[in-house]
Amino acid sequence: MFEFTAIDSSLAMSDGVPLAFTLYLPVTDEPVPVLLEALPYRKDDLLERVHYERFCTEFGFAVCRVDVRGTGSSGGLATDEYPLSELDDMASLIEWLAGQEWSNGSVGMFGWSYSGFNSLQVAAARPAALKAIVPIYSSDDRFNDDVHYMGGAMRALDLVDYPSFMIAMNAMPPVPSLWDGDWREEWRHRIESNEPWVFTWRSEQRRQPYWQDGSVRPGYARVTCPTMIVAGWADGYRNNTFRTVEALENAGTPWKLLIGPWSHMGAELSLPGPWIDLTAEMARWFDRWLRDEQNGIDAEPQVTIFHRRSTAPEPDLREVNGTWRDHIGLPLADTKTLEFDLGTGCVTHAVIGDVGTAAWNSCAGSLPWGQPTDQRYDNAASMTWDWPADDLHLYGHPRLQLRVRADQPVAFVSAKLCDVAPDGTSSLITRGLLNLTHRGGYDSDPVALEPGEWVDVEIELEATAWSLDDGRQLRLAVTGNDWPNVTAPPRPVTLEIDREASNLLLSVMESIDDLPESNLPHVHPESLQTGDGVTWRVERDVLARTTTCRTAHGSRWTSAKGFACSEQYSGEVTLDLRTFDQRIEAFARFEVDYPEGRTATQSTMTVTTSPTHFDLDVSVEAFDDGEPFAQKHWHHTVRRDLA
C-alpha cells in the first residue's frame, strides 16, 4: 500500500487557455505510470471518483483527472462534446504528464461514458506517450450508438437527461479558490457565451460529416495502443464490442473485451449485477502495458462475457441470472447462423404511437433509467412470431431482413426479441430500430419513401448474449415505433410486411457449457440504489388521447473539498396518439456552496415536434447567494429532415 497526495494545478494549452486538473500521486521514490481521465463533469464538486485513490494506494499509479476546456475550473468555452480542440489539449497534457520527474513516461487513458469516448478518440490521434486505454461504456459511432439517434430516428427520453443537464452544468462557475481571476466575471461570461449543445445535435440529422469527427468507426486502424473495452448488456453502448475488437484484431492492435450484465453504472454497484472489482482488472491491464509487467493478462482468453439466462423482468432488477465464460480468440468465432422464416402472405399493421413504454429507454443506469418491464403489453401492440427455444444460446447481433412498405414518406421499423415464460411473462432480450429513410446502410444519405413502395431492409439488433431455458418461447415483436426511447415518426403510419420475403437471422452458439469459467474478482455491494425519491411514471389521458412519461430524481452530498452540493432533475415526454406530435420538457438544477459564495444554476428546455419541424425553447438562470445573478434565453426552430 502507498500513501498519496492530491495536488490541484493547471497547464496552459498552446493558445494560452489553462486546463485545470487534480493529480493523485503515490508516495514513492520510483517513477510511476500515469492514468488520465478527461471529463466535462466538474472534478471538484459534481463528479468525483473513489477509484482514483485506489489506483494510487493499492496499485501505485499516478492519476490525473482533468476538466476539459470550458468546464469546471478550466478556461475557454465548452463549445460541444468532443470538439477537435480536445484532441490537441489531451495530446499536450499527455506529453506533459509523460515528462514529469515522477512519471515513468507511460500514460494510459480510461473512463466511463464521455471519458471512454475520448479515450478512443485520443488513441486514434496516436500521441507518442499514450501506451494503453480502457474505454468503458463508450461508443465508436456517435450518430447511431449514442444518446442522439438510433437507426436514424431521434431519441426522445434521452432529451430530458444528458442534453438537458449539460445546459445547466456548462453555465456553472469555476471553483472560486481554483480560478486565477474574478470567478464571478468568468461565471457571467460562461452564461453569455456558451450555446446549448442540443441545438447542433438537432440540426445535424444526417451521419456525415459532423458525427464522424467524434467517431472511431470505421477507421479503427488508427488505434494502435493496447485497448481493453468494457461494456454492459443493460448499457446503451453495448455495440462498441464485437465489431470494434474484430477490427482491432485485423489492425494488429492488442485488445481485450469484457462484457458484464451492467447498466450505465460502475461494475461494483450496478443495477443489475452480478458485480466485479473492475478497478483491479483495469490495473492489471495497465500494469502490463504501462510497466511492461509480464502478468499474463495478454496470454489469457481475450474475451470474457456474462451470458445471461432467462430472468423475470423487473424495473429495478437486482441481479440477472447467468454465468461468466471466457472465449478464446475473436468473440464470434464459434457461432453459426440460424434462419427463421416469418410465414406466408402479407400482414398489415397500423402503428400505435406509444408502443415501447415497457422498455422506455435503451440505456439503463441509475433510476429512473431502469430495466425493461414485462413486454407482453407492447407485444400485444406489435406483430409477433413465436418459436420454441429450448436451450437456445443467442450470441452476437440478430438480424431481421424485411420486405416492407409504408403509407408515409417517413416510417420506422422496431424489432424486439423477447424470452417468453410458460406463464406469458415476456422479457426483453435485445432490440433494433431502423428509420426506413436510412435503408441505404451505414454511410448512405437518407432517402424518402414513396408511399406504397416495397423496400428490402436489414435491421441489426443490438449485441447480446442470452440463453433461453427449457420450455421458453423466443418471440419476435415488430412494429413501427419504440416510444419514448425514440420519437414517434412524423405522422401516424401503417406498415405492410411481405412475410415470404422476410426472415430472422440469429447468431447462436451450440453450447456454452464447454467454455471455461472466468476468473474475475467478484464483489458484493453493501447497498444498491432504491426507488426512494424517484419518479418513474407512465400516464395515459384517455379523453385527450395522450401518453406522458414522467421522471424526477435528485441527491445531496458533500464533496471531498467540503462543498455542499445538490442536483435536481425532472422531465416529461408527451405524445398525441392521433397526430404523433410530441412535447418534451426538462429541468435541471445544480447547487454548490463555496466559502466564497452559494451558487446555483438551472436550465429549462422544451422541445416540440411536428411533422415538419423541431421547435426548441431553452432558458438558463444563475443565482448567487439566493439572488438572481444572470440569465439567458434561446429559441431555435429546426426543419425535420426525414427524422
Side-chain angles (χ1 to χ4, degrees):
M1 296 288 287
F2 297 87
E3 298 294 327
F4 81 98
T5 59
I7 302 169
D8 292 314
S9 188
S10 65
L11 180 69
M13 299 293 100
S14 59
D15 58 358
V17 170
L19 292 193
F21 56 84
T22 300
L23 283 173
Y24 300 78
L25 298 177
V27 178
T28 174
D29 293 332
E30 298 294 324
V32 296
V34 191
L35 307 182
L36 169 63
E37 185 172 25
L39 286 164
Y41 306 135
R42 303 181 59 89
K43 65 184 177 65
D44 299 298
D45 39 48
L46 293 190
L47 184 59
E48 302 169 305
R49 300 285 205 202
V50 295
H51 54 264
Y52 297 153
E53 295 185 12
R54 287 196 62 203
F55 276 131
C56 280
T57 60
E58 293 181 37
F59 304 107
F61 291 100
V63 182
C64 177
R65 163 72 187 275
V66 62
D67 287 333
V68 299
R69 183 177 289 245
T71 70
S73 296
S74 289
L77 292 177
T79 58
D80 199 353
E81 59 174 4
Y82 319 116
L84 291 177
S85 60
E86 192 166 299
L87 298 180
D88 294 333
D89 290 346
M90 292 307 105
S92 296
L93 184 56
I94 288 169
E95 182 181 12
W96 182 86
L97 291 169
Q100 299 309 295
E101 62 180 4
W102 41 260
S103 169
N104 74 350
S106 295
V107 179
M109 284 190 73
F110 73 101
W112 288 253
S113 197
Y114 190 104
S115 47
F117 281 56
N118 64 22
S119 294
L120 279 168
Q121 294 162 19
V122 174
R126 300 184 181 179
L130 184 63
K131 303 300 185 182
I133 61 171
V134 182
I136 307 161
Y137 309 157
S138 64
S139 180
D140 57 346
D141 183 348
R142 288 186 61 217
F143 180 73
N144 201 56
D145 285 320
D146 198 357
V147 298
H148 310 297
Y149 295 92
M150 180 181 187
M154 186 179 83
R155 294 189 183 270
L157 194 64
D158 277 299
L159 277 170
V160 309
D161 190 47
Y162 178 72
S164 165
F165 73 66
M166 286 310 299
I167 299 168
M169 193 177 292
N170 286 339
M172 294 180 70
V175 175
S177 60
L178 299 179
W179 185 254
D180 184 15
D182 187 331
W183 65 274
R184 286 188 171 92
E185 181 181 343
E186 172 65 13
W187 188 10
R188 194 180 301 276
H189 173 65
R190 292 183 181 187
I191 294 167
E192 288 295 324
S193 304
N194 280 330
E195 288 280 312
W197 297 348
V198 69
F199 295 151
T200 300
W201 301 338
R202 292 292 70 83
S203 298
E204 296 287 349
Q205 297 169 44
R206 302 186 179 216
R207 178 181 293 277
Q208 301 290 356
Y210 168 78
W211 300 105
Q212 197 58 50
D213 283 342
S215 301
V216 175
R217 187 185 190 191
Y220 300 100
R222 295 174 294 159
V223 178
T224 57
C225 68
T227 299
M228 174 179 169
I229 291 177
V230 180
W233 293 130
D235 180 71
Y237 303 118
R238 63 187 72 86
N239 291 328
N240 183 31
T241 50
F242 303 137
R243 69 183 178 217
T244 304
V245 298
E246 289 181 5
L248 294 176
E249 174 73 15
N250 292 334
T253 300
W255 60 270
K256 188 173 181 62
L257 176 62
L258 171 62
I259 310 180
W262 312 302
S263 63
H264 207 70
M265 304 173 71
E268 298 86 358
L269 46 75
S270 163
L271 282 174
W275 310 273
I276 70 164
D277 184 351
L278 182 57
T279 304
E281 284 298 287
M282 288 193 286
R284 293 182 67 228
W285 185 253
F286 286 128
D287 275 339
R288 172 64 185 89
W289 302 108
L290 274 59
R291 286 191 169 105
D292 196 26
E293 183 177 304
Q294 301 301 312
N295 57 13
I297 193 170
D298 52 329
E300 298 170 0
Q302 290 173 273
V303 181
T304 299
I305 302 287
F306 185 80
H307 286 263
R308 297 173 294 170
R309 293 203 71 94
S310 300
T311 303
E314 294 291 348
D316 51 358
L317 184 66
R318 176 182 173 88
E319 196 165 352
V320 180
N321 297 329
T323 182
W324 289 98
R325 289 289 187 266
D326 286 337
H327 295 249
I328 309 299
L330 287 170
L332 303 181
D334 297 325
T335 61
K336 66 177 183 177
T337 300
L338 298 182
E339 182 173 336
F340 296 77
D341 68 66
L342 305 189
T344 60
C346 295
V347 58
T348 301
H349 175 70
V351 176
I352 297 173
D354 63 354
V355 64
T357 55
W360 76 341
N361 74 311
S362 63
C363 183
S366 59
L367 297 172
W369 318 117
Q371 300 297 303
T373 56
D374 194 333
Q375 295 296 295
R376 74 179 91 185
Y377 307 104
D378 282 349
N379 292 169
S382 306
M383 298 171 279
T384 59
W385 292 262
D386 288 2
W387 299 276
D390 290 352
D391 207 32
L392 183 67
H393 304 285
L394 305 180
Y395 183 50
H397 291 271
R399 291 174 291 137
L400 178 61
Q401 296 176 332
L402 288 180
R403 178 165 292 168
V404 60
R405 62 182 177 182
D407 63 350
Q408 296 293 330
V410 178
F412 307 159
V413 175
S414 165
K416 294 177 180 174
L417 283 183
C418 300
D419 178 342
V420 183
D423 65 2
T425 304
S426 180
S427 302
L428 180 66
I429 300 172
T430 186
R431 74 207 309 169
L433 183 132
L434 179 66
N435 179 343
L436 294 178
T437 67
H438 289 251
R439 60 192 179 276
Y442 167 72
D443 57 358
S444 299
D445 279 338
V447 179
L449 296 165
E450 289 292 334
E453 168 195 9
W454 286 105
V455 294
D456 292 304
V457 299
E458 181 173 281
I459 303 169
E460 182 182 77
L461 280 67
E462 293 177 321
T464 192
W466 184 288
S467 298
L468 289 88
D469 291 338
D470 290 348
R472 315 287 287 203
Q473 296 278 318
L474 177 70
R475 174 171 294 164
L476 169 66
V478 178
T479 185
N481 200 19
D482 187 11
W483 188 87
N485 189 43
V486 301
T487 54
R491 294 179 174 86
V493 60
T494 296
L495 300 176
E496 186 175 3
I497 290 176
D498 181 346
R499 290 183 286 194
E500 292 180 73
S502 303
N503 57 73
L504 174 66
L505 302 175
L506 298 182
S507 176
V508 302
M509 299 194 72
E510 293 281 0
S511 171
I512 63 171
D513 294 335
D514 295 334
L515 297 172
E517 292 191 22
S518 305
N519 182 24
L520 290 168
H522 295 282
V523 296
H524 298 279
E526 294 181 2
S527 63
L528 294 172
Q529 185 194 16
T530 69
D532 295 346
V534 176
T535 296
W536 171 358
R537 294 181 188 146
V538 180
E539 303 171 359
R540 290 180 170 85
D541 188 323
V542 176
L543 293 179
R545 280 78 165 180
T546 60
T547 301
T548 299
C549 295
R550 300 186 192 278
T551 68
H553 58 113
S555 61
R556 294 181 178 274
W557 69 97
T558 300
S559 75
K561 287 184 167 64
F563 308 141
C565 306
S566 69
E567 57 187 357
Q568 179 183 352
Y569 312 92
S570 62
E572 60 183 60
V573 184
T574 299
L575 171 71
D576 188 313
L577 296 171
R578 293 168 293 190
T579 65
F580 284 15
D581 288 349
Q582 291 146 101
R583 182 179 178 88
I584 300 159
E585 298 183 12
F587 171 83
R589 179 181 173 92
F590 300 103
E591 298 181 17
V592 183
D593 291 354
Y594 304 111
E596 297 85 353
R598 186 162 47 90
T599 69
T601 62
Q602 64 186 40
S603 65
T604 58
M605 180 175 70
T606 301
V607 180
T608 57
T609 76
S610 72
T612 58
H613 289 84
F614 300 126
D615 197 76
L616 297 90
D617 195 86
V618 176
S619 294
V620 65
E621 299 174 274
F623 302 89
D624 187 359
D625 287 329
E627 297 297 323
F629 175 75
Q631 61 180 348
K632 193 162 185 181
H633 175 259
W634 300 264
H635 185 92
H636 280 216
T637 297
V638 179
R639 185 163 191 83
R640 192 168 183 168
D641 181 16
L642 300 180

